[in-house]
DNA sequence: ATGGTCGGCCTCCGA
């Protein structure tokens, strides 16, 4: 059995106690991290290694940054999303480990929508679609996990009307995610829980956590070879209720292997 | 309720 989780930690250094506690309790074999908000030399490598994990880091100062932790050694297969040599933002890291291929994805937020940030998001999703199609041809068990900054459907949001104009819920954003899935991927949470309402992000503001005003934007996309092995998937709300929590909480799945 | 959330950081920007 291989347990793979994704978690936007909103700074790995600010979140180290929370991340350590969750790793020791949840014991993922592979953990995909987003928004580590540091370069590799500022990553708490020794602390993570002490928990028994290898680390692959694609860092950036102050913003973005992704990493992959694994009980097994990691072979990096892609650092940075292909398709735009001018893109300097650290939002994609891919590796082989634990007998599968995984990617840690921090998809651009895209707000405000009347600025170039939204077009950057849509362009980034186009590039991800191209790369995701290439990956499918390997016929490997693949998990593309991360913060997709996309609310797939109205039921994935506590108040769809309140989010109607937001980059996370714009029709173009949702269409772009559907196109990626339609290449031949399976969204793990919906495979296991076709009807369930659950969230993975609650804003720090306006008592969103206390009111359960959440959205589901952290996803695990599985190739056909991976979904054949899929046993379980869930969102662990517990870390979001802890002191000094990230605004996201981990999403995990297990594969028979 | 004269405040209102975080983290990183060239005291504001990004989320």
């Amino acid at each position: 059995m291989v347990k793979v989780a994704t978690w936007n930690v909103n700074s790995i250094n600010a979140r180290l106690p929370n991340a350590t506690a969750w790793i020791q309790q949840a014991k993922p074999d592979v953990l995909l991290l987003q928004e580590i908000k540091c370069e590799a030399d500022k990553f708490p490598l020794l602390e993570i290694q002490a928990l028994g994990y290898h680390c692959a880091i694609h860092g950036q100062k102050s913003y973005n940054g992704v990493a992959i932790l694994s009980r097994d050694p990691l072979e990096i297969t892609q650092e940075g999303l292909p398709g735009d040599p001018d893109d300097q933002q650290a939002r994609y890291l891919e590796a082989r480990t634990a007998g599968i291929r995984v990617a840690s994805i921090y998809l651009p937020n895209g707000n405000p929508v009347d600025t170039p940030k939204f077009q950057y998001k849509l362009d980034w999703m186009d590039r991800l679609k191209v790369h995701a199609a290439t990956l499918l041809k390997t016929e490997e068990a693949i998990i593309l996990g991360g913060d997709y900054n996309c609310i797939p459907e109205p039921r994935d949001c506590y108040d769809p009307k309140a989010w109607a104009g937001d980059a996370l819920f714009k029709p173009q954003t949702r269409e772009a995610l559907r196109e990626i899935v339609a290449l031949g991927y399976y969204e793990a949470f919906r495979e296991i829980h076709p009807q369930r309402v659950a969230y993975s992000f609650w804003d720090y503001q306006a008592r969103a956590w206390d009111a359960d005003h959440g959205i589901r934007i952290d996803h695990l996309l599985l190739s056909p070879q991976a979904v054949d092995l899929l046993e379980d998937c869930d969102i662990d709300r517990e870390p979001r209720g802890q002191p000094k929590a990230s605004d996201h909480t981990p999403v995990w799945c297990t594969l028979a292997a």
Side-chain angles (χ1 to χ4, degrees), chain A residues 225-256:
Chain A
Q225 293 76 12
V227 83
D228 281 350
L229 304 171
L230 179 63
E231 289 185 330
D232 200 4
C233 175
D234 217 331
I235 302 173
D236 188 351
R237 292 170 58 102
E238 190 270 341
R240 185 61 182 83
Q242 294 298 311
K244 294 277 288 176
S246 169
D247 40 8
H248 295 251
T249 213
V251 183
W252 58 266
C253 73
T254 52
L255 303 187

Side-chain angles (χ1 to χ4, degrees), chain A residues 12-210:
Chain A
I12 186 59
N13 284 301
R15 216 63 61 210
L16 191 55
N18 308 56
T20 298
W22 188 75
I23 289 167
Q24 288 178 322
Q25 173 258 314
K27 300 179 172 58
D29 296 292
V30 180
L31 178 55
L32 312 170
L33 296 176
Q34 300 88 38
E35 274 205 278
I36 62 170
K37 287 190 169 178
C38 64
E39 293 182 316
D41 63 346
K42 295 286 200 299
F43 188 90
L45 191 61
L46 295 177
E47 290 87 341
I48 300 297
Q49 286 174 337
L51 299 173
Y53 289 84
H54 300 261
C55 301
I57 301 156
H58 182 45
Q60 182 179 334
K61 190 180 179 183
S62 305
Y63 304 112
N64 311 316
V66 287
I68 302 173
L69 318 186
S70 178
R71 297 262 185 212
D72 282 358
L74 289 144
E75 176 202 344
I76 294 175
T77 53
Q78 183 67 44
E79 191 168 346
L81 184 65
D84 181 359
D86 294 330
D87 186 0
Q88 299 299 311
Q89 300 188 28
R91 296 178 174 277
Y92 187 92
L93 183 63
E94 179 191 299
R96 274 202 200 88
T97 189
I100 59 176
R101 191 188 295 237
V102 295
S104 182
I105 293 171
Y106 179 44
L107 210 141
N109 177 292
N111 283 304
V113 294
D114 59 352
T115 70
K117 289 171 183 284
F118 188 52
Q119 191 57 50
Y120 173 70
K121 175 178 197 158
L122 296 177
D123 291 344
W124 206 94
M125 294 183 87
D126 281 343
R127 288 162 55 202
L128 180 59
K129 182 182 172 185
V130 170
H131 187 60
T134 301
L135 285 174
L136 278 182
K137 294 178 189 166
T138 67
E139 300 193 354
E140 294 177 22
I142 304 163
I143 299 182
L144 306 180
D147 176 2
Y148 278 75
N149 268 316
C150 178
I151 303 165
E153 299 177 75
R155 60 180 169 162
D156 298 311
C157 178
Y158 75 97
D159 184 3
K161 285 177 188 165
W163 286 76
D166 195 281
L168 279 62
F169 196 53
K170 277 284 199 182
Q172 299 101 304
T173 304
R174 296 166 56 198
E175 171 66 19
L177 180 59
R178 284 198 300 275
E179 286 181 5
I180 292 167
V181 173
L183 295 170
Y185 287 90
Y186 299 81
E187 202 248 284
F189 184 81
R190 277 286 165 246
E191 287 295 311
I192 300 293
H193 307 291
Q195 307 295 335
R196 189 186 293 179
V197 171
Y199 308 129
S200 66
F201 168 92
W202 297 258
D203 200 286
Y204 285 126
Q205 301 181 65
R207 301 181 69 247
W209 168 249
D210 294 324

